[in-house]
Amino acid sequence: MLMNMQAFMIGVATAFFAIFSVHILYFRLERTRYQTVLGVVMAVWALWMGKDVIMTFPGMYTEDVLNWIMLIDGWSAIAYVVLIMEATRPGWTTRWRLLCLALPFAAFTLAYALWPRQGLIYAYVVYLWFFGWTVVVVAWVHVKRYIRFVSNNYSNIDGIDVSWLRPVFVFAIVSQLTWLFTSLYASATADVIYYVLTIAVWLAVLYYSWNFRPVIIDMEEKEMAKSVCYEVSPVDEMGLKRAIEDEQIFLDPDLTLATLAKAVGTNRTYMSNWLSDVQGQTFYNYVNRLRVERASIPLMNEHPEYTMDYIAEKSGFGSVSTFRRAFQKFTGQTPQTYKANSCK
């Protein structure tokens, strides 16, 4: 029974990755480089999953076969690296970097082919353990840097935020630990759990990646560094007040730090430092607070008949979900609760 369930899950997992890879690579004509990389990764995972069908053949659930499957599966760690780096550093993947990542895995695979010893498999497991945690640490640093940059430069981060990678990390670690257990201790039950967890992890990645368009941070930071060379004034608070109160620049849903700095007559570096040192907050929080306090709350008080969608749009928010999060963050209440209390 369990072997039948295992065979079924192998088929489901293989079909899952194959269908999405075909859809992304052949039917989604408008896609970013990141989404193209995601499609290739899904195709590779379809092959990885498909090979597991060999375990369902009579007499194939042996230590030697499982060792080979483990060696091949270990290569999947490269896919995680590529996806994470492409999300936080677009354009990072090159043939040279892929070769450097693949060399240790190729060395272990070749060594086992020439000298098939269980000790080599244990050494491979140790390598995978350290490789995995290195990836987690490096990825965490890059994700943190990326989030900080986006928060300091954009008021609308829908579609460019990578906060979703953090819970995916946790889920992926649980999935990989399950894989490690199933590789060392053959168990059809653990295999089924692993396939379910793997599909769940990649469903989450697909959900958040569907409209994701990463920002190229390195290029942006170079432009910011260049702007310091120009003769511009530090932040003119009267000019800022005019841009906010008279021009209501914060109502632009795609307002960026660069746009605000230009309106005030300064550059992004001065503007960013002023927000950090004087206001003690990021550009993202600064603008969204203005939207809530100067647009959303007055609209809700004066026009209780307005829908949340309309209020979010008129307040400069790119989406209702962002509006709700910002409103609760700066008022301590959900928009619905505030509206209900204000109508009493």
Side-chain angles (χ1 to χ4, degrees), residues 67-68 70-72 74-75 78 98-117 119-121 123-125 127-128:
N67 283 345
W68 272 109
M70 182 180 186
L71 282 165
I72 297 170
W75 288 68
I78 297 174
L98 284 176
L99 178 62
C100 290
L101 287 172
L103 278 176
F105 295 93
F108 273 108
T109 305
L110 179 61
Y112 187 77
L114 298 175
W115 192 57
R117 297 291 185 272
L120 196 59
I121 295 297
Y124 186 59
V125 169
Y127 171 75
L128 287 176

Side-chain angles (χ1 to χ4, degrees), residues 32 34-35 86-90 142-143 145-165 208-217 220 253-257 283-284 319 322 325:
T32 63
Y34 168 81
Q35 288 154 355
E86 281 296 325
T88 57
R89 292 185 62 188
H142 281 290
V143 167
R145 176 194 176 212
Y146 182 97
I147 292 174
R148 183 173 61 249
F149 179 84
V150 167
S151 297
N152 285 332
N153 288 273
Y154 296 88
S155 66
N156 179 9
I157 62 174
D158 293 336
I160 61 175
D161 186 27
V162 294
S163 298
W164 54 271
L165 276 173
Y208 289 109
S209 298
W210 210 246
N211 296 309
F212 179 59
R213 54 186 196 285
V215 176
I216 304 177
I217 296 179
E220 293 273 5
D254 294 317
L255 180 65
T256 64
L257 180 69
F283 171 73
Y284 177 77
S319 67
T322 303
R325 286 195 300 270

Side-chain angles (χ1 to χ4, degrees), residues 99-330:
L99 178 62
C100 290
L101 287 172
L103 278 176
F105 295 93
F108 273 108
T109 305
L110 179 61
Y112 187 77
L114 298 175
W115 192 57
R117 297 291 185 272
Q118 194 63 29
L120 196 59
I121 295 297
Y122 291 142
Y124 186 59
V125 169
V126 172
Y127 171 75
L128 287 176
W129 179 262
F130 283 103
F131 182 88
W133 281 109
T134 300
V135 171
V136 168
V137 172
V138 171
W140 197 269
V141 170
H142 281 290
V143 167
K144 187 176 180 180
R145 176 194 176 212
Y146 182 97
I147 292 174
R148 183 173 61 249
F149 179 84
V150 167
S151 297
N152 285 332
N153 288 273
Y154 296 88
S155 66
N156 179 9
I157 62 174
D158 293 336
I160 61 175
D161 186 27
V162 294
S163 298
W164 54 271
L165 276 173
R166 287 172 172 170
V168 168
F169 277 162
V170 177
F171 213 168
I173 290 170
V174 173
S175 175
Q176 291 306 99
L177 287 175
T178 305
W179 167 80
L180 192 60
F181 175 81
T182 60
S183 299
L184 293 174
Y185 308 99
S187 168
T189 302
D191 282 343
V192 171
I193 294 173
Y194 167 69
Y195 293 125
V196 171
L197 286 174
T198 300
I199 292 174
V201 168
W202 285 101
L203 270 175
V205 171
L206 284 166
Y207 175 78
Y208 289 109
S209 298
W210 210 246
N211 296 309
F212 179 59
R213 54 186 196 285
V215 176
I216 304 177
I217 296 179
D218 293 336
M219 289 180 62
E220 293 273 5
E221 287 182 336
K222 287 178 181 177
E223 288 300 316
M224 288 183 71
K226 288 180 183 178
S227 68
V228 181
C229 299
Y230 301 131
E231 290 188 8
V232 292
S233 304
V235 176
D236 175 9
E237 296 196 23
M238 289 302 296
L240 179 61
K241 184 178 181 181
R242 183 172 57 254
I244 292 172
E245 295 184 356
D246 298 340
E247 300 173 20
Q248 294 190 313
I249 195 171
F250 59 88
L251 294 181
D252 177 4
D254 294 317
L255 180 65
T256 64
L257 180 69
T259 305
L260 179 60
K262 184 177 180 180
V264 177
T266 184
N267 64 25
R268 293 196 296 184
T269 303
Y270 281 131
M271 195 76 240
S272 180
N273 290 340
W274 182 84
L275 287 169
S276 176
D277 299 338
V278 179
Q279 294 295 315
Q281 56 188 319
T282 63
F283 171 73
Y284 177 77
N285 286 335
Y286 176 73
V287 174
N288 283 338
R289 180 185 286 274
L290 288 174
R291 289 169 176 168
V292 169
E293 295 177 349
R294 293 174 179 265
S296 302
I297 291 177
L299 282 172
M300 294 173 76
N301 290 336
E302 297 168 15
H303 298 279
E305 73 278 10
Y306 286 172
T307 64
M308 293 301 167
D309 289 43
Y310 185 79
I311 292 172
E313 180 185 349
K314 289 300 179 182
S315 300
F317 288 99
S319 67
V320 178
S321 58
T322 303
F323 160 63
R324 288 185 175 131
R325 286 195 300 270
F327 194 94
Q328 185 162 11
K329 178 176 183 177
F330 298 123

